[in-house]
Amino acid sequence: MRTQKYKKSELYDRVVETHEIFENSYDFMVFLAVVGYRENQKITSNYLGSNGMSGEIGVDNLKGNELYRTVMACLAFQDTGDPSALVDEGQQSKTLAQYAAGGLDFAEKEFGKVAGDPTDAIVNYIRTAQDDEPGSGGELEKIVESFDEEIMKGT
Amino acid sequence: MELKRLELENFRQFRDDAITFANGSEKNVTVVHGQNGSGKTTLLNAFTWLFYDDVDFDTRPERLASEGAMAEAAVGDKVDVSVRLSFDHEGVEYVAERNAVYEKQSSDDFDGEVTEMDLQLKYRENGSWATRNNASNKLDQILPERLSGLFFFDGEDIDELAGIDNQDRIQEAIQNIMGLTILERATKHLGDAAGRFENEIQESASEELAELIDQKQAIEEEIDALKREQDDVQRNIEHIEQEISDIDQKLERLDESAALQERRSEYEEEVQELETDIERINDQIKEQLSEEGVVPLAMPLIRETAEELDAMRERGEIPSELSDSFIESLLQAEQCICGRELEQGTQPYEHVVGRRGDTIEDGVEQAALRIVGQLNRIAEIESDFLEEIDELTAQRRELHDEVEDWEEKIDDVSTELQKMDSTTDEGLSPSQLENNREQKLAERDDLIGEEAAIEQKIDDKNEAISEIETEIDDQQDEHAETLLAKKRRKAAKEVEHELQTVFDNLKNKVRRWSNERIQSEFSEIATKDLQAEISEDFALKIWQQVGDEQIEVDKSRGERQIASLAFIGSLVDIAQERYESEAESEYFDTGGIYPIVMDSPFGALDKTHRREVSEAIPRLANQVVVFATDAQWEGPVEDEMEDIVGEVYWLNFTDGEGVDNHPQTRIETEQMAARGD
């Protein structure tokens, strides 16, 4: 089974084990990677962690989840600008770990210092991020439709 | 291991007695009847004395030699005390015998002084008997001392396993049964080794590095002091809570305050229920967060990617061949990537079918299409997620408001009680009690705050330590020995961490095995619709299914006892399975087949639970020995067990009143006891 190391901190233990906010470490890792992308924080050195501050996940856990697979492919594509990254598993795992490490640094500052259960702080962060988001409206549909036509045009 | 015969000579109140144990698959239970004080616990101790030279008596633990034998002896005479056990183990016959010689020191000396102690272990090989060297080690291999508490136990205490805050005992038992203690010890040794290397670093290090290590060690000492302080605070909280509960009981007993106190208890229950509901909502929020929290944040990433891929496709930078497997996956899902239905026979369906036949593998375009295909789904989840969270948050706010209302009512009760200043015949006044209670509550709240502050300090200090550790690792030091010690310390730390992970994983694996067995055993025995499990934090819990939900129930003593026995039974099973399994494991002991010897497993249980425990006992192990009083045995226990009992004994105790008589117990068989009656 392929595995991927990642940078860990006490926040992982708090969020996954103590307060059981995310069911698995890999759920939190994907969350952090998305936070890292959003906040434009990516770590390219020491993104695997060290000194007991390192974790390891089975890549199959991520591949088994359609959404996570999409997130990983998108991160790898955004990072390299190369469409072949969409099918390059090694590149995807690496980019995920780099953004997750960046996201972890941000999360430590944003809700790492909250005393007790940080669930509400995380929800508030998501809500704020959502409010900042420009309405996507018809844009999405247009893209989907344009790809759909590609399939429908027949041979 | 299969017990065959136990012989006692001058061991406490037994002068010269023996028990032959029941064996076999049909009748594997031996019952020893005895009234309180007749020597049931002494028999249990005979096993632990023989195997580990260890006894646990409430009264006169130093008096191992029979009082009668010591009384009959003259000053300077020697009295032989011995316990001898015949048993089979892994197909070999053994006889173990511990012998102690006590010398009488004076005419009124009934304890004697040990002058010799000897342990022998004989085994039969090729028909003839031989003696094993190092009998003590061999016996500990056959039945490790760390396991003895699981297989030789006082049944009246066994329910404690399922008591509150007994996670440590459950964890310890799990570690013991698998021999994981070895791993735990190794982890600790590595921690110690890392500490020693740190000292070495300090001896040869530069001033700056030595200073960092000093700082780290000083913080570690501060953490130790804080942990001690925290323990004290926790004990104080428990003490105050006990005092509050005592006051509540007094208020309940006083005629003037009984009704109000009862009302307050009801209100407090309401608050507790609401808080459970709030907790449930919090869990739902967490579940949402874990499953879909990533979606709103991922939206810009996925959208930007989809836009760029779209542009690339238009520019022809992405090859447009579609693989059969991708087409098939759309047809099977009966939905195109845009969400359009692909019903068989319709035009869109045929279009998609028409794309079949390309020979290429799943590739870049498929991946791109999948991403675009996710967009609609993700957009839906995104709006649902926040709606759901808003709804849950609103529900939680309402519940908080309700809690506030009840708390106001609780305050009103307190105010009313404080006005009742008349003194009762016992010299108690509700107002005085209530004021006292209020004060205790305030003290408790202060202590809870104090404990949280200590916890925070410990967290901060731990964080400071990990920062200093990073600095230590980053320090460039010129001395070769410092570098070497640093490397060694780092290696020891890393291995310690790895071992700890392995250790935790194994412990959890055994917990899950044990759980599977407990669940089936417990639900078969317990009368109500209950389930038992060892939770992730190693507490033995009992749940009841109410509608769609599982609610943790307050355990009655009987239920606790059944859950505890089911847990022990699961460990016996695991040990046996390990023994019979071909697979070798570098971490586990090889397991074994063990008998269970229980003192008074039915004490303090009502009839229903006695019956349930009786049903459970024969299933616990291949061989079971039970000590019980007649009162505990008669009725449901006897009904359930008579068919599987192979040997029965009575402990006939005489207290030895009179000048030349001394307390003595005879172990008699059913026939002899009947004749004696």
Side-chain angles (χ1 to χ4, degrees):
Chain A
M1 189 181 77
R2 254 179 64 98
T3 59
Q4 173 66 47
K5 285 201 169 179
Y6 64 93
K7 187 181 170 190
K8 210 180 158 183
S9 77
E10 239 181 289
L11 190 60
Y12 267 91
D13 295 334
R14 277 185 66 202
V15 165
V16 180
E17 276 156 35
T18 314
H19 297 292
E20 297 177 344
I21 302 171
F22 285 88
E23 200 180 336
N24 306 291
S25 290
Y26 61 80
D27 294 317
F28 188 45
M29 185 191 176
V30 175
F31 179 83
L32 288 177
V34 173
V35 170
Y37 176 80
R38 204 186 164 79
E39 303 299 336
N40 209 10
Q41 292 204 19
K42 187 179 80 163
I43 292 179
T44 47
S45 62
N46 192 26
Y47 61 94
L48 304 175
S50 59
N51 286 340
M53 288 292 121
S54 174
E56 200 164 6
I57 48 149
V59 177
D60 285 352
N61 289 324
L62 300 170
K63 280 166 59 190
N65 181 313
E66 181 88 33
L67 176 64
Y68 293 172
R69 226 167 47 205
T70 306
V71 167
M72 284 171 77
C74 290
L75 284 175
F77 172 74
Q78 289 297 333
D79 200 46
T80 58
D82 179 358
S84 69
L86 296 176
V87 289
D88 182 346
E89 273 184 23
Q91 178 65 44
Q92 290 177 11
S93 299
K94 181 179 154 193
T95 323
L96 181 81
Q98 289 179 338
Y99 277 110
L104 180 64
D105 283 356
F106 177 83
E108 286 279 4
K109 289 182 206 110
E110 184 79 10
F111 30 76
K113 302 290 171 207
V114 177
D117 188 337
T119 305
D120 286 355
I122 297 177
V123 169
N124 285 340
Y125 170 74
I126 297 175
R127 209 188 294 273
T128 317
Q130 174 75 1
D131 292 343
D132 293 346
E133 186 70 8
S136 43
E139 276 300 306
L140 289 181
E141 272 172 37
K142 261 191 236 160
I143 300 168
V144 177
E145 273 169 20
S146 120
F147 262 85
D148 205 32
E149 279 164 19
E150 176 76 27
I151 294 181
M152 290 301 166
K153 69 188 176 193
T155 51
Chain B
M1 183 187 195
E2 195 171 65
L3 305 172
K4 289 166 77 179
R5 187 174 166 82
L6 179 74
E7 293 162 79
L8 309 165
E9 185 192 359
N10 293 329
F11 187 77
R12 300 277 283 194
Q13 66 265 58
F14 297 99
R15 294 294 298 269
D16 182 12
D17 293 275
I19 293 176
T20 302
F21 297 103
N23 286 305
S25 54
E26 298 286 310
K27 291 175 178 277
N28 66 344
V29 179
T30 303
V31 183
V32 181
H33 298 272
Q35 297 314 310
N36 292 332
S38 64
K40 298 192 297 295
T41 308
T42 306
L43 282 179
L44 199 65
N45 275 283
F47 284 100
T48 53
W49 186 66
L50 168 65
F51 273 80
Y52 321 111
D53 186 19
D54 184 30
V55 287
D56 180 16
F57 291 113
D58 291 338
T59 53
R60 291 183 171 275
E62 70 288 351
R63 184 169 293 179
L64 215 59
S66 145
E67 197 179 310
M70 289 304 290
E72 285 162 14
V75 176
D77 275 0
K78 289 179 175 174
V79 171
D80 272 345
V81 177
S82 74
V83 173
R84 187 179 150 104
L85 180 73
S86 310
F87 61 92
D88 286 352
H89 182 65
E90 298 183 349
V92 180
E93 272 182 77
Y94 288 92
V95 177
E97 179 169 352
R98 186 177 290 276
N99 197 284
V101 179
Y102 283 77
E103 188 179 289
K104 184 159 172 154
Q105 303 295 307
S106 61
S107 58
D108 60 352
D109 174 23
F110 291 100
D111 297 341
E113 199 169 278
V114 185
T115 57
E116 282 172 50
M117 171 88 86
D118 179 45
L119 175 67
Q120 275 208 336
L121 182 63
K122 290 184 176 163
Y123 66 104
R124 182 136 70 172
E125 199 172 45
N126 303 326
S128 58
W129 288 92
T131 304
R132 277 231 181 257
N133 294 329
N134 215 342
S136 174
N137 275 1
K138 180 64 190 171
L139 281 177
D140 197 62
Q141 273 173 24
I142 293 173
L143 184 60
E145 186 170 7
R146 61 187 162 78
L147 298 180
S148 64
L150 287 173
F151 302 121
F152 300 147
F153 59 84
D154 181 347
E156 288 194 4
D157 294 338
I158 199 67
D159 63 311
E160 280 179 17
L161 275 181
I164 306 159
D165 292 338
N166 246 339
Q167 287 100 318
D168 289 351
R169 275 187 69 185
I170 301 274
Q171 276 204 69
E172 197 186 310
I174 284 182
Q175 278 164 228
N176 282 341
I177 199 76
M178 300 307 283
L180 299 184
T181 315
I182 299 159
L183 263 182
E184 191 188 28
R185 223 176 291 141
T187 313
K188 190 183 169 300
H189 283 171
L190 280 163
D192 294 346
R196 278 200 305 279
F197 290 133
E198 194 166 279
N199 291 339
E200 275 182 32
I201 298 171
Q202 205 170 20
E203 277 164 23
S204 60
S206 66
E207 216 170 288
E208 203 177 342
L209 184 53
E211 169 66 18
L212 283 170
I213 294 173
D214 273 347
Q215 276 178 23
K216 176 176 167 267
Q217 289 177 342
I219 298 176
E220 279 170 346
E221 276 171 27
E222 285 167 17
I223 291 178
D224 285 343
L226 282 168
K227 282 186 176 162
R228 284 195 294 276
E229 204 180 316
Q230 194 179 28
D231 285 346
D232 287 345
V233 173
Q234 273 166 351
R235 266 194 296 277
N236 281 342
I237 293 174
E238 279 166 26
H239 180 69
I240 288 183
E241 282 179 342
Q242 187 54 51
E243 285 182 323
I244 294 169
S245 145
D246 290 347
I247 294 174
D248 283 349
Q249 282 179 12
K250 282 180 189 160
L251 286 167
E252 223 171 78
R253 282 199 299 269
L254 293 180
D255 290 342
E256 294 86 339
S257 53
L260 277 173
Q261 175 59 29
E262 200 180 318
R263 208 186 307 162
R264 173 158 62 192
S265 301
E266 281 168 26
Y267 295 167
E268 281 172 345
E269 266 173 43
E270 293 282 353
V271 170
Q272 241 172 19
E273 269 175 40
L274 287 168
E275 272 165 1
T276 312
D277 291 344
I278 290 173
E279 224 17 74
R280 200 169 301 139
I281 290 182
N282 282 334
D283 287 345
Q284 283 172 305
I285 292 177
K286 286 175 186 179
E287 204 180 316
Q288 283 286 111
L289 204 50
S290 182
E291 281 173 14
E292 290 165 357
V294 76
V295 170
L297 297 180
M299 201 54 189
L301 164 71
I302 299 173
R303 197 186 52 241
E304 280 161 29
T305 307
E307 280 167 358
E308 285 168 39
L309 289 173
D310 187 34
M312 289 176 115
R313 187 192 55 78
E314 273 178 10
R315 294 197 298 270
E317 289 167 14
I318 297 179
S320 64
E321 292 85 1
L322 294 177
S323 73
D324 278 359
S325 64
F326 182 71
I327 302 282
E328 288 305 329
S329 69
L330 294 179
L331 294 174
Q332 212 169 0
E334 296 184 344
Q335 201 168 45
C336 196
I337 58 164
C338 58
R340 187 189 303 186
E341 279 188 23
L342 295 177
E343 203 182 322
Q344 212 165 347
T346 61
Q347 204 187 9
Y349 183 90
E350 293 308 322
H351 271 306
V352 175
V353 170
R355 298 293 307 263
R356 275 179 181 158
D358 297 336
T359 50
I360 57 150
E361 295 297 313
D362 257 13
V364 173
E365 197 196 11
Q366 282 72 30
L369 284 168
R370 282 206 170 92
I371 287 168
V372 177
Q374 284 281 305
L375 273 178
N376 274 346
R377 196 175 79 88
I378 288 174
E380 261 173 45
I381 297 175
E382 186 190 22
S383 65
D384 287 353
F385 170 79
L386 284 171
E387 257 174 45
E388 188 89 23
I389 292 279
D390 284 344
E391 203 183 307
L392 287 168
T393 319
Q395 280 176 22
R396 189 175 61 178
R397 206 166 27 244
E398 272 175 33
L399 291 173
H400 276 302
D401 290 346
E402 276 186 61
V403 168
E404 265 178 41
D405 290 347
W406 287 111
E407 277 173 346
E408 261 176 44
K409 287 182 182 164
I410 292 172
D411 284 347
D412 292 346
V413 170
S414 178
T415 314
E416 275 189 65
L417 283 167
Q418 280 174 36
K419 286 179 196 155
M420 293 180 167
D421 49 9
S422 59
T423 310
T424 64
D425 296 343
E426 298 116 337
L428 292 169
S429 99
S431 99
Q432 206 180 350
L433 285 170
E434 185 59 21
N435 281 327
N436 206 351
R437 187 182 189 273
E438 285 288 297
Q439 200 185 328
K440 297 282 169 205
L441 280 176
E443 276 177 41
R444 184 196 62 179
D445 291 347
D446 285 349
L447 284 172
I448 290 173
E450 208 177 304
E451 199 204 344
I454 295 174
E455 184 70 47
Q456 186 59 47
K457 276 188 202 165
I458 292 176
D459 282 352
D460 293 347
K461 290 196 185 294
N462 273 326
E463 206 169 305
I465 284 184
S466 78
E467 277 167 23
I468 294 177
E469 277 186 338
T470 313
E471 272 187 72
I472 290 174
D473 287 339
D474 293 346
Q475 278 285 317
Q476 301 295 325
D477 218 281
E478 66 275 21
H479 299 292
E481 59 264 56
T482 316
L483 288 174
L484 182 63
K486 258 173 84 170
K487 267 189 198 159
R488 286 175 167 164
R489 178 189 161 277
K490 199 174 171 198
K493 277 270 180 205
E494 278 173 4
V495 178
E496 183 195 358
H497 176 71
E498 291 297 323
L499 267 190
Q500 186 65 46
T501 313
V502 170
F503 179 62
D504 289 344
N505 288 345
L506 284 176
K507 221 162 48 174
N508 265 313
K509 193 169 166 186
V510 185
R511 180 183 68 81
R512 287 195 295 271
W513 285 351
S514 174
N515 242 343
E516 284 170 21
R517 291 163 169 84
I518 290 173
Q519 281 170 0
S520 63
E521 181 73 6
F522 185 83
S523 54
E524 233 173 85
I525 306 168
T527 35
K528 294 176 204 156
D529 183 19
L530 300 175
Q531 281 194 322
E533 70 150 3
I534 305 175
S535 64
E536 281 182 18
D537 56 353
F538 292 90
L540 189 45
K541 293 191 169 182
I542 301 178
W543 302 92
Q544 186 163 23
Q545 194 73 29
V546 179
D548 290 340
E549 283 175 35
Q550 279 202 323
I551 294 177
E552 191 185 346
V553 294
D554 288 337
K555 293 159 272 198
S556 71
R557 185 163 189 188
E559 281 148 10
R560 287 205 308 268
Q561 190 149 350
I562 294 169
S564 303
L565 286 172
F567 172 62
I568 288 183
S570 76
L571 298 184
V572 173
D573 263 8
I574 289 172
Q576 181 160 350
E577 201 171 283
R578 293 287 319 150
Y579 173 70
E580 285 162 0
S581 150
E582 301 267 310
E584 287 296 323
S585 163
E586 54 193 304
Y587 303 115
F588 294 156
D589 277 359
T590 47
I593 297 174
Y594 302 109
I596 286 187
V597 181
M598 282 177 283
D599 181 8
S600 306
F602 314 104
L605 291 183
D606 59 36
K607 278 191 173 179
T608 316
H609 287 116
R610 273 186 201 180
R611 186 178 296 281
E612 290 165 349
V613 169
S614 314
E615 278 177 40
I617 282 176
R619 291 211 290 261
L620 287 179
N622 286 353
Q623 190 182 26
V624 179
V625 182
V626 178
F627 307 145
T629 63
D630 285 346
Q632 290 168 358
W633 184 258
E634 281 159 10
V637 177
E638 192 172 5
D639 293 348
E640 284 297 328
M641 295 185 73
E642 61 185 351
D643 290 344
I644 46 163
V645 170
E647 298 284 348
V648 185
Y649 293 91
W650 267 263
L651 299 180
N652 288 333
F653 176 72
T654 48
D655 58 12
E657 276 176 27
V659 186
D660 293 323
N661 293 322
H662 297 278
Q664 188 181 345
T665 298
R666 298 306 314 259
I667 303 177
E668 293 176 321
T669 64
E670 193 175 9
Q671 289 78 8
M672 288 171 74
R675 204 171 51 211
D677 292 342

